[in-house]
Amino acid sequence: MEELSMIFLHIRTRFADAFFPRLSEWVAAAVICGCAWMLAVNKDLMASAPKPFQLMLDVATQPTWAKVCLFLGAARLIILFINGAWRRSPHARSMMATLSCFLWMQIVLSFSATLGLSVVGFAGFLVMDFLNIIRAARDARTVDDAYAGSRIGGPL
């Protein structure tokens, strides 16, 4: 029983250490999951206001966008949880932020037709995730360099 409590303590400590530095990634993943929920619950959201959603509808249907958002958001949350609890995963974090930028760009371009507040809000997420790509890539470089350094002088 003591081993199990030590495992949970380790996961909690590691997760807490990794959560706040990655807060913008957690927020972006949560917003994507929220978009999936909104698109799934409000079945005629895109059809009722086709002008701001026209570009997105040209790419895929609303149910497809809901599934894409659900997959992307859930996968990103899982990767962030694994990154915080068990092992560093900066390569996966960078990849997920890059895929998220595709989604943010689609939303920004779609809403640019109305030039409303939604353009500013989602453009903020686009810029934030672009910065998350850079931060995760920097973390990946650090992990790669540490791994390469541990192999120097070691057995081949």
Side-chain angles (χ1 to χ4, degrees), residues 22-86:
R22 314 272 180 270
L23 187 57
S24 62
E25 294 179 57
W26 282 97
V27 169
V31 169
I32 291 172
C33 287
C35 289
W37 177 75
M38 185 60 60
L39 290 170
V41 170
N42 192 349
K43 303 244 184 256
D44 64 341
L45 177 69
M46 290 181 156
S48 64
K51 185 176 180 185
F53 293 107
Q54 190 57 52
L55 179 63
M56 291 178 75
L57 288 171
D58 288 344
V59 174
T61 64
Q62 181 174 332
T64 302
W65 279 113
K67 290 173 189 167
V68 166
C69 289
L70 179 62
F71 173 76
L72 187 61
R76 195 163 181 188
L77 287 173
I78 290 167
I79 288 169
L80 284 166
F81 182 75
I82 290 170
N83 180 77
W86 286 284

Side-chain angles (χ1 to χ4, degrees), residues 12 14 37-39 41 43-44 46 65 89 91 96-97 99 114 120-122 126 139 142 148 152:
R12 187 178 76 89
R14 290 274 316 243
W37 177 75
M38 185 60 60
L39 290 170
V41 170
K43 303 244 184 256
D44 64 341
M46 290 181 156
W65 279 113
S89 52
H91 295 89
M96 294 310 291
L99 292 174
T114 59
V120 177
F122 284 108
L126 177 61
D139 292 349
T142 302
I152 295 175

Side-chain angles (χ1 to χ4, degrees), residues 3-24:
E3 290 177 10
L4 187 60
S5 64
M6 291 298 291
I7 290 171
F8 282 123
L9 179 64
H10 173 75
I11 290 172
R12 187 178 76 89
T13 303
R14 290 274 316 243
F15 183 79
D17 290 343
F19 179 77
F20 286 106
R22 314 272 180 270
L23 187 57
S24 62

Side-chain angles (χ1 to χ4, degrees), residues 32 72 76 95-105 129:
I32 291 172
L72 187 61
R76 195 163 181 188
M95 179 187 70
M96 294 310 291
T98 301
L99 292 174
S100 296
C101 280
F102 166 76
L103 177 66
W104 301 133
M105 181 61 76
D129 257 345

Side-chain angles (χ1 to χ4, degrees), residues 84-139:
W86 286 284
R87 64 183 306 263
R88 300 286 180 227
S89 52
H91 295 89
R93 287 180 25 240
S94 180
M95 179 187 70
M96 294 310 291
T98 301
L99 292 174
S100 296
C101 280
F102 166 76
L103 177 66
W104 301 133
M105 181 61 76
Q106 290 297 312
I107 295 171
V108 167
L109 290 176
S110 289
F111 279 103
S112 67
T114 59
L115 201 58
L117 292 174
S118 54
V119 174
V120 177
F122 284 108
F125 279 106
L126 177 61
V127 170
M128 181 179 67
D129 257 345
F130 183 73
L131 295 174
N132 287 334
I133 293 169
I134 294 169
R135 288 178 44 200
R138 184 187 64 214
D139 292 349

